[in-house]
Amino acid sequence: MNASTLPAGLDAQLRQGLTELGLDANTLAPPLLDYLALLHRWNRTYNLTAIRDPAEMVTRHLLDSLAMHAHVALGTLADLGTGPGLPGIPLAIAHPGLRVTLVESNGKKARFMREAVRQLGLDNARVAESRAEALDEPAAYDNLTARAMDTLAGIIAVGGHLLKPGGALLAMKGVRPDEEIAALPAGWSVEAIHPLRVPGLVGERHLVVVRRTAA
């Protein structure tokens, strides 16, 4: 893993984006680029993500994942259907005090994440090679997140059992998902909808915060 294998200019692109998000670029850019270099190398063989251009990966993977950073409470977070570790690995890098479980049933992606966690020295991240609904860790997490996994109701159906009482689902969405909000199951409600700006990304992004209102 060597970030020097990436095309020139990515470091400046990432640092500018991190600064716009209010994050410490000097601290975070090196490990994030190391993660990106590993992802880019593995992706040639294992097809972990459809995005192949490293500059596009900076925007659509790293910065998009970190756009929600200010809304993530420290504690425990399960990232459902995380794929190659998005947003869980960037969030674990940005928040050393956050304990992240990367939930992914695809074996190739789980193997990649285990290698990334090892090479990056991410003591606050672990990989659970499992479908979300099969993860037997009831009420273990302060936060759930899912970047592109399902509808809000679908995420709750497979992962709601993982949330602690008072915990929150932090769902990354594109346009404001009013139809999905209207279809939330009984006992769940939206606490907040935060418009997000992702540096370099054209299009809407919203973070929907959902909490359980009844047992």
Side-chain angles (χ1 to χ4, degrees), residues 55-107:
E56 195 176 355
M57 286 180 172
V58 168
T59 300
R60 295 181 61 185
H61 285 340
L62 301 183
L63 297 176
D64 187 62
S65 291
L66 291 170
M68 65 184 287
H69 79 93
H71 304 287
V72 179
L74 296 185
T76 51
L77 178 142
D79 182 14
L80 309 182
T82 184
L86 299 161
I89 287 178
L91 288 173
I93 291 170
H95 292 296
L98 181 68
R99 298 189 303 284
V100 177
T101 297
L102 303 157
V103 184
E104 175 57 53
S105 61
N106 180 283

